Amino acid sequence: MNFLPIQLFDSESSTYTYILAADGEAVLIDPVDKHCERDLAHLERLGLRLAYVLETHNHADHVTSAGRLRQLTGAKTAAPSGCGIAPAEVQLNHGDVLRFDASEEIHVIHTPGHTAGSVCYLWRGNLFSGDTLLIDGCGRTDFQSGSAEALYHSVTERLFTLPEPTMLWPAHDYKGRSVSTIGWEKRNNSRLSNRSLEDFVQLMNNLNLPPPRLMDVAVPANRNLGLPH
């Protein structure tokens, strides 16, 4: 089995979902509700048993299919402990390690900023960065206990200190880009590269973005893994 991540896309929310596959098991990161059947078909085609469904944070722009995938496959759900997703069996903290297919390890990196509980996942030199670090950008910090200062420290102290060849797989991209590297982002990210904390906070506090269209629906739904209350 090839150990490259499988990247899937939702065009409505520009969300990337990832399948991490080992010899007989798989992990799904940030699934989207309307693509549940698509994701299950990929797993069946590749002969993979779903071990975990992971969330990088409580998403505000789409509803997750984590709960439904758990019901259909028996997989465990895992979410950051600081995101208020109480039904997830595994509540993740910084430094935790998730294991699947006996020998595969996913390392949890707490990266507050986009939301207070946001995490990234590191697996085999691949970083799944959620909304914390995007390709030539970063997640917004103006809702869900977001903090521009916290995001700056998360990226510069916990992500930019990873080896430069580390592959960066974001939760979103809006310009047709699929992957980057930590080294490229350190040198070229227009929001973070060579920018002081003070400049970054000023930039983020003046973006004046409209709220996500589905926020009022998605946030409460995702606290229940996308299942009806």
Side-chain angles (χ1 to χ4, degrees):
M1 174 69 66
N2 194 325
F3 289 102
L4 286 175
I6 299 167
Q7 186 182 60
L8 304 167
F9 189 62
D10 171 55
S11 58
E12 183 177 353
S13 61
S14 297
T15 297
Y16 284 123
T17 295
Y18 296 96
I19 300 175
L20 316 187
D23 289 334
E25 289 190 334
V27 170
L28 261 171
I29 301 176
D30 289 341
V32 177
D33 59 349
K34 70 178 184 179
H35 295 302
C36 185
E37 287 74 19
R38 176 202 68 182
D39 299 342
L40 289 170
H42 275 289
L43 296 171
E44 182 181 7
R45 191 179 305 116
L46 295 171
L48 297 167
R49 184 185 76 84
L50 186 60
Y52 285 101
V53 183
L54 309 183
E55 300 289 349
T56 55
H57 62 290
N58 187 342
H59 301 272
D61 53 7
H62 70 269
V63 175
T64 181
S65 60
R68 187 171 174 218
L69 287 166
R70 178 178 65 184
Q71 292 175 338
L72 294 172
T73 68
K76 292 182 178 180
T77 54
S81 63
C83 283
I85 307 174
E89 297 97 315
V90 183
Q91 296 290 318
L92 299 169
N93 296 292
H94 180 70
D96 286 350
V97 179
L98 285 171
R99 293 177 173 84
F100 71 104
D101 197 50
S103 60
E104 295 299 312
E105 294 186 346
I106 300 172
H107 295 261
V108 179
I109 305 172
H110 182 213
T111 52
H114 174 61
T115 71
S118 292
V119 301
C120 300
Y121 299 110
L122 183 64
W123 175 71
R124 285 182 168 261
N126 298 282
L127 181 73
F128 303 91
S129 59
D131 282 24
T132 299
L133 182 61
L134 306 178
I135 298 173
D136 194 25
C138 63
R140 59 194 293 178
T141 57
D142 56 340
F143 58 80
Q144 283 189 276
S145 302
S147 164
E149 183 173 353
L151 191 143
Y152 183 89
H153 288 299
S154 292
V155 172
T156 59
E157 297 170 14
R158 290 189 167 172
L159 301 187
F160 280 177
T161 55
L162 294 170
E164 290 200 357
T166 300
M167 302 293 285
L168 176 76
W169 304 90
H172 299 282
D173 190 80
Y174 307 95
K175 297 182 179 180
R177 302 164 299 192
S178 59
V179 64
S180 184
T181 67
I182 288 294
W184 193 92
E185 298 302 327
K186 283 171 67 175
R187 292 185 292 272
N188 298 284
N189 190 291
S190 58
R191 287 191 178 173
L192 286 147
S193 181
N194 299 312
R195 191 183 291 272
S196 70
L197 170 61
E198 292 75 16
D199 287 346
F200 178 74
V201 170
Q202 183 177 16
L203 170 70
M204 297 303 291
N205 288 346
N206 289 281
L207 292 178
N208 298 317
L209 297 171
R213 182 172 57 85
L214 294 179
M215 183 173 178
D216 291 342
V217 173
V219 170
N222 290 334
R223 290 198 188 106
N224 199 42
L225 296 173
L227 297 172
H229 285 274

